[in-house]
Amino acid sequence: MNYINIQEIDSLQEWVKEAIAIKKNPLQHKSLGENKTLGMLFFNPSLRTRLSTQKAALNLGMNVMVMNFTNEGWTLEFEDGAVMNQGASEHIKEAAQVVSQYCDIIAIRAFAGLTDKEKDNAETVLSGFLKYATVPIVNMESATGHPLQSLADAITMEEHKTAHRPKVVLSWAPHPKALPQAVANSFVQMMQLQEADFVIAHPEGYELNPEITKDSKIEYDQNKAFENADFIYTKNWSNYKEYGKVTNLDPNWTVTAAKMKLTNNAKFMHCLPVRRNVIVADEVIDSVNSVVIEQANNRTYAAQLVLQKILKDGK
C-alpha cells in the first residue's frame, strides 16, 4: 500500500473518523511499528511535514531516519538509459533499492521545478521511487500534490463542520515568488470527495490544471466567492498556463477582515508557512476564526493514520 494521492483512498469520511479517533489516543498503537523504520527523504525544505510525520512514526513506535538530498545525498539521475557523464552521481535504480533495504516505509518530499510542466506532471522523483523501491511510498508533497496536507484539512473541517451543507472557497492570493500548485491541487481533489458547495476563486489566467479541477466551480470575483462561505482556504499558486510564472501581484486579492465579513462567519484556513499581510492580513490570521494552528496539529494524525494503515496492510 502506498499513499500518493488522496483520491486513491476508499472512503474519505471513514479515514477522517479514524484520524480523529487516533487524535484522542495517539499512543494506542505504540507497538504496531516496533522494529520498523521510516525513511524520510527530503529534496526540498520542510517544517510541519517533517516534524508531524516524524512524530506520527514515533507515536507508532517506529524508528525514523531522515536524509536531506539538498545537502547530504548524491545527486540522483532519474532518466533510464542516461549516460551519466554530467552532474548526477547515482541512478534512482540503485538508490531506491538500497534505501528499501534500510527502511520499511519511504516518505518523499520533492517539489515542482516550475520550469518544465511536462516533467513536473510526470512526477519524476516520486515516480522513480515508486518504480524501483520495494517498500511502500508516502507522498510528503510532490510536484503536483500534497495528500497529507489535504487529509489534515479534511480532519480540520470535520472538527468545525456546520449543521448545513457548507460552502467552501479555495482562494488564490498574491505572493512574490512562484509557488507550486501541489497544495491547491490536493485540496481540490479532497473537496471533490466531500458533500459541499465548493468554489475556486482566482484571477483570470490562474486556472489550475483542468484535469484536476474538472467541473469545479470557478469564480473570478473574490468578493462574490466569499459571500456566505463557511470555510475560506487561501493559497497562492503560480500560473499554470504560463507555467511557473508570477503574472499577477494584485494586492486586492489579499484576505482581509472586510472580505471575511462577507462570509458566514467563516473559518480561515492555510497550510502554512504564510506571508502575513501579503496572503492574509494579521487581523484575519490572528482572529478567533483562524484554524491554521489546528490544521498544523492535525498533520500529525493524518500522517499517523497513513502510516498505521500501511503497517497493518503489511502484516
Side-chain angles (χ1 to χ4, degrees):
M1 174 186 172
N2 302 308
Y3 184 67
I4 306 302
N5 187 309
I6 195 167
Q7 290 192 317
E8 296 173 348
I9 70 177
D10 49 7
S11 170
L12 177 62
Q13 289 70 33
E14 288 302 314
W15 278 47
V16 167
K17 288 179 183 178
E18 290 179 50
I20 291 174
I22 288 171
K23 186 175 182 178
K24 294 176 181 177
N25 189 2
L27 300 180
Q28 182 178 5
H29 299 287
K30 180 76 173 178
S31 62
L32 182 62
E34 187 176 5
N35 299 322
K36 299 290 185 180
T37 299
L38 171 67
M40 300 172 66
L41 309 183
F42 290 90
F43 292 82
N44 294 96
S46 178
L47 189 157
R48 278 148 294 275
T49 299
R50 173 172 174 170
L51 296 181
S52 62
T53 306
Q54 189 166 352
K55 182 177 180 182
L58 295 173
N59 284 348
L60 292 168
M62 299 185 75
N63 300 310
V64 181
M65 296 193 299
V66 179
M67 188 167 188
N68 293 296
F69 273 82
T70 52
N71 56 18
E72 294 176 345
W74 298 113
T75 302
L76 297 183
E77 175 61 62
F78 292 90
E79 183 179 344
D80 289 340
V83 178
M84 293 174 57
N85 60 359
Q86 298 297 319
S89 304
E90 183 164 10
H91 201 283
I92 184 62
K93 283 186 179 181
E94 290 79 54
Q97 293 178 77
V98 167
V99 175
S100 296
Q101 294 179 113
Y102 305 149
C103 306
D104 299 280
I105 302 172
I106 300 173
I108 299 165
R109 183 174 178 90
F111 292 172
L114 293 178
T115 57
D116 186 330
K117 184 192 292 189
E118 184 176 333
K119 182 178 179 181
D120 285 344
N121 283 342
E123 293 283 9
T124 303
V125 177
L126 192 63
S127 295
F129 278 94
L130 284 168
K131 184 175 182 180
Y132 294 112
T134 57
V135 297
I137 301 295
V138 174
N139 180 357
M140 294 193 298
E141 186 171 355
S142 65
T144 65
H146 198 346
L148 285 177
Q149 178 65 57
S150 58
L151 181 55
D153 297 337
I155 295 166
T156 307
M157 292 172 66
E158 175 64 21
E159 291 178 324
H160 292 278
K161 66 181 178 181
T162 60
H164 56 272
R165 180 183 173 94
K167 179 180 179 182
V168 182
V169 177
L170 170 64
S171 178
W172 179 93
H175 194 287
K177 294 173 59 178
L179 297 184
Q181 292 89 30
V183 170
N185 287 342
S186 285
F187 188 78
V188 170
Q189 291 172 324
M190 181 270 289
M191 287 307 307
Q192 290 168 346
L193 302 175
Q194 299 272 31
E195 291 294 328
D197 295 326
F198 178 53
V199 181
I200 306 172
H202 58 72
E204 291 191 54
Y206 264 76
E207 289 77 12
L208 294 163
N209 184 348
E211 294 182 8
I212 290 175
T213 56
K214 298 178 181 177
D215 59 353
S216 297
K217 182 179 179 180
I218 295 174
E219 177 59 64
Y220 300 124
D221 183 333
Q222 190 185 42
N223 287 343
K224 184 177 179 181
F226 274 39
E227 290 176 1
N228 298 315
D230 298 291
F231 294 92
I232 299 295
Y233 195 110
T234 307
K235 184 71 180 80
N236 173 268
W237 56 87
S238 54
N239 199 306
Y240 185 74
K241 291 181 180 179
E242 297 182 52
Y243 192 65
K245 304 296 184 184
V246 177
T247 57
N248 192 320
L249 288 170
D250 186 356
N252 291 316
W253 280 80
T254 299
V255 178
T256 62
K259 291 179 182 178
M260 292 298 288
K261 287 180 180 178
L262 299 171
T263 72
N264 183 30
N265 199 33
K267 300 299 182 184
F268 175 80
M269 303 178 71
H270 191 282
C271 61
L272 303 181
V274 65
R275 294 204 178 210
R276 285 171 171 260
N277 303 307
V278 176
I279 297 285
V280 57
D282 286 341
E283 58 196 355
V284 174
I285 195 170
D286 292 332
S287 73
V288 295
N289 280 20
S290 173
V291 294
V292 299
I293 304 301
E294 293 176 53
Q295 278 178 270
N297 186 40
N298 284 333
R299 292 294 308 279
T300 296
Y301 310 108
Q304 189 166 335
L305 174 64
V306 169
L307 295 175
Q308 185 171 301
K309 284 184 173 291
I310 292 173
L311 289 169
K312 287 183 176 179
D313 184 64
K315 285 198 170 186

